[in-house]
Amino acid sequence: MKKESILVCGTGIAGLATALGLARAGFDTALLGPRSMQEAPSGDLYCPRVYAISGSSQAFLTRLGVWDMMDERRITRIDTMEVYGDASGAVTLHAWQAAEPALAWIVESSEMEKALQQALRVFGIPWHAHKFDRLEAGRVHTDEGAVLSADLLVGADGARSALRRAAGIAHHSRPYGDTGVVVHLTAQLPHQNIAVQWFTGDGILALLPMPDTSEGHQVSMVWSMSAAAAQALLDLPEAARRQRLEADLAAATGGRLGQLKVRSPMFGFPLFLEHSGMVAPGVALVGDAAHRVHPLAGQGLNLGLGDVQALLQVLAEKEAYRKAGDLRVLSRYRRARAEPVLAMRLATDGLHGLFAARSAPAVWARNLGMACVDRLPMAKRFLIGGAAGR
């Protein structure tokens, strides 16, 4: 019997993981999209984009055979998370409070991509290094004139998904008016595998533990701030930009990790809340092509890998007489992801809105709420389990 064919459009982490998972499940899988031209950093150099990988995502990457292919020296475990409000509120979460091995693992995007690409080569998965051009009669036309057909097309081509537009899948986007500024820092004090987050009232600052370097202790910063404030910072000359950020960090963190010094280039990316219809006849979306949430919980990639896992399960359990692109099959995938995606969207958007409110009652209520949660073991176990993807 001929294998069903699936074409994955998109070569980021979600696309690579989807292609690998489908190939391992026995589908005739191919990949469409340009190959990354950048080599993974080594030594004391680190990729500017890092992810907090949840327990569920770590287990999935292990099942794919990818986790153990990554250099463990470049992976940092988060044992504890400290969250501070904009007044007296604070919550501290420890992995042991929910019998978890870790709250999350910090991994560079480049390390995951490198391991996934190596696994794809082992499986001999065809990779068409073209760009998607258009969709006609269910067939994909590329910018180099190739015409590709498959029983199912998977859109993993990011927030500006060309396949999503071509398939006519409804998409809703709302800008936050904020920018996420990312940079790696050298810290005076060791991070002790603790992630720290501050809701400052005019932004959300997170410091994530990373491997030490020859310069000292290292953390990765993600600071969500207004687009105007971020642009004013990024427009400064390099020396002034570093000096300004280091001064702002000292004020915001209260010396929690001692003196913080910029050790890498600084980048900014606009923040959006987005969701889509997920599927169309013969088309399914995963990852950023399907949805985006505020990064305050660090769950964007985990949500995308959850899509991949759900899609693989639905396809594995479908009736033999139904094709992978059958809308009745794909509707099961959409239903499977509806609740977790909605829950994450409401949680992150709600927290953002709660801490954006500047009235005195709102400030009092949110900080009191944090203090109450910090005294409730059951609430902590619930939060830790949600962060782990359980």
Side-chain angles (χ1 to χ4, degrees), residues 229-249 260-262 264 266:
Q231 197 60 53
L233 174 65
L234 295 169
D235 283 345
L236 292 173
E238 182 177 356
R241 184 166 64 242
R242 288 173 175 247
Q243 185 177 15
R244 169 70 178 277
L245 180 61
E246 289 168 4
D248 289 348
L249 283 166
L260 296 166
K261 306 291 284 185
V262 173
S264 76
M266 201 179 306

Side-chain angles (χ1 to χ4, degrees), residues 207-229:
L207 298 181
L208 307 174
M210 289 187 66
D212 289 346
T213 71
S214 60
E215 299 173 14
H217 311 296
Q218 182 184 201
V219 293
S220 181
M221 183 202 86
V222 183
W223 198 335
S224 303
M225 60 182 73
S226 72

Side-chain angles (χ1 to χ4, degrees), residues 8-20:
V8 179
C9 302
T11 56
I13 293 171
L16 298 173
T18 303
L20 180 59

